[in-house]
Amino acid sequence: MSECIVDLADVAYAWPGHQPLLKISRMQITAGERVFIFGPSGSGKSTLLGLIAGIHLPTQGCVTLFGKDTRTLSASARDRLRGAEMGFVFQQFNLISYLSVMDNVLLPVSFSAARRQRLGSIAEREQQADALLAHLGLGGHINQQPAAELSVGQQQRVAVARALLGKPKLIICDEPTSALDAQSRDSFLEVIANECQRNNAALIFVSHDQSLAAHFDRHLDMHELNPLISAEA
Amino acid sequence: MLRRITLKSLWNRRLAVSLTIAAIALSTALILAVERVRMETRASFTNTIAGTDLIVGARTSPIQLLLYSVFGLGDPTNNVSWDSFEKISAHPSVAWSIPISLGDSHRGFRVLGTTRAYFEHLRFGNDRQLALSNGDLSDEPLAVVLGATVARQLGYSIGTGIVIAHGTRDDGLSGHDNLPFTVTGILAATGTPADRTVYVSLEGIEAIHTGWESGIPVAGETLHADHLHEADLHSEAITAFFLGLEQRPQVLQFQRAINNFPEEPLLAILPGNALTELWQLFGNAELALVVVAAMTVVTGLLGMVVGIFSTLNERRREMAIMRSVGARPGDIFTLLMAESALIGVIGAASGFLVLTAAALTAAATIGDSMGVSLSAGMPSGRELLLLGAVVIAAIAAGALPAWHAYRLSLHDGLSARGG
């Protein structure tokens, strides 16, 4: 029941020619759990997310994603793994402005064969995208609108639908609520927590806003995770 | 879906993209037009004369002989005596011969004195004969047959009376106005110098020059139409003559014999060789045109590269989103390559359409004012190669921004904050 999907062991990361900026002795995420990572800017959280996404390789130690040591995977195998098993929601500008809402949600289908396969036929894909959007409170008529015409709150929900489409096992949110007002923030948190649970996806939620921590099973603090965190952060 | 992303992305930037395509289309149309005019000019040039085995004139340079005998350009230096013409024509190898006599003009058009043989034997293009569109050939000494352009530009029709000027520059002063000619026939258009020629009989030429032996009319010695039938209108000399042989393989041997003709210094040329030699003189000008046209294509493609580069920064966010859903940097490269390939294909195809539209609407104007023909039609093999070259060049040029985007997306990962 507690399959480990992300495992960082004795990991250090440094940009080439620079001092290490991240050092994590151990960090594990198990399937289906919801983890809040508290991290102000400069605490190395972008680097941490880059390691978990398989964009960066650790300069030291070992990052294991879904049972695979990232150092043994080629760059495109890591890209494939990310496309197949992870969904991302960023702080803002999550959508490609000239594509419709539906096309934005279906974007993973273009780049990930695994998700395409899990989704089945074109009709089934669109049906599931529709269902996800409906669950997130976005009505049918909006689906064909260009993404640029949506409010920020709506855009963030579309991004959640895209992250969840095709049932990846891990959703990673990087400050997804910092562009939202208090009311939308609460409803967004509720929606994403429910949807992750419904889809059996683990959730990593990174924010500098500690007040959001209450919504999560487990809390990690970059200050404790990363001993290299700069004093002023 | 990737196709859809490319199309929607281009559509999203449709103004800039359509300007880029317009630049490529215009430059493609230009290089195709240069190619087509070049080919058609060359074809109509080499088709100016056909079926003639040898052209014989007084000794001069082969190109000069070709220019004045076929193209009506420049002035002949010397004449060929009628005796030599008769002697050579009587040779058993000769199938037919056409004498021509030049030196007069009518309102800027060359007057060419000849015989019926000219209309029977001379060929142009792909073995086509001169054909009358109106009227008849006449055996009257003062009958005249007009080329199509002459008749159209001067507004002449059958029965019009004309006066032939002495010399090739019609200054309106020294005209053979004692003997007005009458138009009896008008030729169908040929696209060759024949269209701009006024044809009269050799007797007609002789008649108007009687009494002009010193170069100016001597009172009392010039002819009047009433006395024409009493006069001896036999030519003493002609400018050149065309020969057709019984057996073509003899042509080189026969040419050599004429060049060594003991009684008079003569020059015989093979029209095909002389045409090729003459065409080579234009080679550099042709090449310059092609180079200029090619440079405009390069300019158009540079515009495309600049256009794509200028969008890359704002598209970093878009690339990061694609990376987050599993796109490899190679996919980003492919997307951008597809964009420039599509622009190249649409640009090249539009260029062909622009050329066709121009050929359909403006061909007549261009043909009349510049003497070049630009016809509409399916692309020739060479034109397809040019179109293909434009597309390949567009793809090659597109590799620059695509490679840059590849590097950017590799560097940015998911964290680009652009946009």
Side-chain angles (χ1 to χ4, degrees):
Chain A
M1 200 49 214
S2 59
E3 180 201 351
C4 180
I5 55 173
V6 177
D7 188 354
L8 282 71
D10 293 320
V11 164
Y13 185 82
W15 290 105
H18 288 75
Q19 289 293 314
L21 51 82
L22 182 76
K23 202 166 180 154
I24 293 176
S25 57
R26 197 68 197 252
M27 175 185 158
Q28 287 179 307
I29 310 282
T30 51
E33 78 171 326
R34 281 176 291 165
V35 181
F36 179 82
I37 298 178
F38 169 68
S41 59
S43 59
K45 60 174 183 166
S46 300
T47 311
L48 173 61
L49 293 183
L51 286 167
I52 296 175
I55 294 279
H56 306 317
L57 286 176
T59 35
Q60 193 187 306
C62 174
V63 175
T64 307
L65 302 173
F66 303 94
K68 290 172 187 130
D69 182 344
T70 52
R71 290 171 309 180
T72 66
L73 298 175
S74 69
S76 58
R78 282 179 273 134
D79 289 333
R80 259 200 310 279
L81 183 65
R82 175 172 64 254
E85 303 297 354
M86 301 181 206
F88 288 82
V89 182
F90 302 108
Q91 183 172 0
Q92 54 181 340
F93 308 121
N94 267 293
L95 305 184
I96 297 180
S97 58
Y98 52 79
L99 293 179
S100 69
V101 167
M102 181 54 87
D103 284 344
N104 265 290
V105 175
L106 290 173
L107 202 61
V109 169
S110 306
F111 295 102
S112 168
R115 283 219 233 178
R116 193 157 51 228
Q117 249 162 25
R118 280 189 297 228
L119 282 163
S121 72
I122 293 175
E124 282 174 86
R125 288 172 205 166
E126 297 203 355
Q127 203 183 339
Q128 295 199 39
D130 262 333
L132 275 169
L133 285 165
H135 261 277
L136 290 158
L138 295 164
H141 71 280
I142 215 175
N143 295 358
Q144 297 312 320
Q145 273 181 25
E149 291 174 12
L150 270 55
S151 72
V152 179
Q154 286 173 318
Q155 289 189 22
Q156 293 303 81
R157 288 174 193 221
V158 174
V160 173
R162 180 179 64 209
L164 289 165
L165 185 80
K167 296 199 190 307
K169 295 200 187 80
L170 175 62
I171 304 299
I172 297 171
C173 298
D174 183 7
E175 302 272 13
T177 55
S178 58
L180 303 179
D181 59 44
Q183 209 179 344
S184 338
R185 185 165 58 224
D186 286 342
S187 76
F188 180 85
L189 279 167
E190 199 176 317
V191 156
I192 194 162
N194 286 341
E195 288 303 310
C196 285
Q197 195 159 30
R198 217 168 54 82
N199 288 281
N200 284 321
L203 173 62
I204 297 177
F205 193 105
V206 184
S207 178
H208 66 279
D209 183 356
Q210 217 151 9
S211 70
L212 306 175
H215 295 81
F216 297 86
D217 306 334
R218 191 151 69 97
H219 308 157
L220 297 173
D221 188 336
M222 283 306 287
H223 294 89
E224 290 160 22
L225 271 177
N226 181 14
L228 298 181
I229 191 165
S230 47
E232 65 268 29
Chain B
M1 183 70 186
L2 283 182
R3 205 176 315 150
R4 178 123 126 236
I5 293 174
T6 305
L7 291 177
K8 288 210 169 178
S9 172
L10 287 172
W11 180 248
N12 185 47
R13 290 172 280 127
R14 54 193 171 275
L15 179 62
V17 169
S18 52
L19 288 175
T20 301
I21 289 175
I24 294 174
L26 286 178
S27 60
T28 304
L30 182 63
I31 199 166
L32 287 179
V34 165
E35 176 64 18
R36 196 168 279 194
V37 167
R38 201 160 76 98
M39 284 300 136
E40 293 188 5
T41 307
R42 179 180 295 201
S44 76
F45 185 84
T46 48
N47 284 342
T48 308
I49 184 163
T52 297
D53 294 316
L54 288 170
I55 300 173
V56 185
R59 195 160 291 169
T60 174
S61 83
I63 287 183
Q64 200 181 357
L65 175 56
L66 181 79
L67 280 176
Y68 68 69
S69 66
V70 175
F71 291 96
L73 295 170
D75 293 307
T77 44
N78 261 311
N79 283 340
V80 177
S81 75
W82 185 260
D83 289 345
S84 304
F85 167 65
E86 282 210 310
K87 212 168 223 168
I88 291 168
S89 301
H91 193 279
S93 300
V94 174
W96 50 262
S97 61
I98 307 168
I100 61 165
S101 183
L102 295 159
D104 292 302
S105 66
H106 175 71
R107 297 183 60 180
F109 295 105
R110 289 283 176 139
V111 171
L112 188 148
T114 186
T115 63
R116 263 177 185 270
Y118 192 94
F119 300 96
E120 282 161 21
H121 296 297
L122 206 73
R123 297 287 187 277
F124 67 94
N126 191 14
D127 203 34
R128 284 166 64 197
Q129 207 173 352
L130 289 170
L132 286 157
S133 67
N134 255 321
D136 291 301
L137 297 176
S138 165
D139 285 324
E140 281 298 310
L142 297 185
V144 61
V145 171
L146 301 178
T149 308
V150 182
R152 195 180 68 246
Q153 280 193 9
L154 300 181
Y156 290 170
S157 54
I158 305 296
T160 306
I162 68 172
V163 169
I164 285 166
H166 190 69
T168 49
R169 272 162 292 279
D170 189 351
D171 52 14
L173 292 177
S174 51
H176 299 290
D177 47 6
N178 53 324
L179 289 172
F181 284 68
T182 306
V183 178
T184 63
I186 294 169
L187 295 174
T190 61
T192 70
D195 293 349
R196 308 181 57 82
T197 303
V198 174
Y199 293 95
V200 298
S201 65
L202 279 181
E203 291 79 14
I205 292 280
E206 200 55 39
I208 55 179
H209 288 108
T210 303
W212 281 65
E213 287 78 4
S214 59
I216 53 160
V218 177
E221 287 186 22
T222 58
L223 272 175
H224 190 270
D226 299 340
H227 308 294
L228 208 53
H229 295 288
E230 305 148 23
D232 171 22
L233 295 178
H234 185 78
S235 300
E236 291 298 319
I238 55 172
T239 307
F241 55 98
F242 300 132
L243 285 181
L245 300 185
E246 294 286 358
Q247 285 171 327
R248 298 210 69 182
Q250 296 175 335
V251 70
L252 288 177
Q253 195 190 340
F254 207 74
Q255 179 191 26
R256 207 157 42 240
I258 293 175
N259 286 339
N260 295 323
F261 193 65
E263 287 151 54
E264 194 176 357
L266 293 179
L267 172 73
I269 58 170
L270 287 92
N273 291 7
L275 281 169
T276 308
E277 209 176 306
L278 181 54
W279 185 255
Q280 279 162 359
L281 291 177
F282 304 138
N284 284 336
E286 259 193 310
L287 187 66
L289 274 179
V290 172
V291 168
V292 169
M295 290 318 265
T296 68
V297 172
V298 170
T299 311
L301 293 177
L302 277 179
M304 177 190 77
V305 170
V306 170
I308 296 179
F309 261 115
S310 72
T311 65
L312 283 190
N313 214 30
E314 65 192 59
R315 288 163 81 185
R316 287 169 86 164
R317 186 68 232 156
E318 190 180 314
M319 294 186 237
I321 294 168
M322 292 181 187
R323 292 291 316 268
S324 81
V325 295
R328 293 163 299 164
D331 294 328
I332 306 290
F333 182 83
T334 309
L335 271 178
L336 277 136
M337 287 302 283
E339 201 169 289
S340 42
L342 195 62
I343 290 176
V345 168
I346 297 176
S350 319
F352 181 74
L353 292 181
V354 168
L355 173 77
T356 305
L360 288 175
T361 56
T365 330
I366 296 172
D368 267 9
S369 59
M370 296 194 279
V372 294
S373 63
L374 179 67
S375 58
M378 292 308 286
S380 69
R382 284 178 60 97
E383 288 170 0
L384 283 176
L385 280 180
L386 276 176
L387 287 169
V390 170
V391 172
I392 287 168
I395 292 170
L400 286 168
W403 176 248
H404 188 66
Y406 175 91
R407 303 287 311 168
L408 273 180
S409 77
L410 206 56
H411 172 264
D412 288 350
L414 309 181
S415 56
R417 290 284 184 256

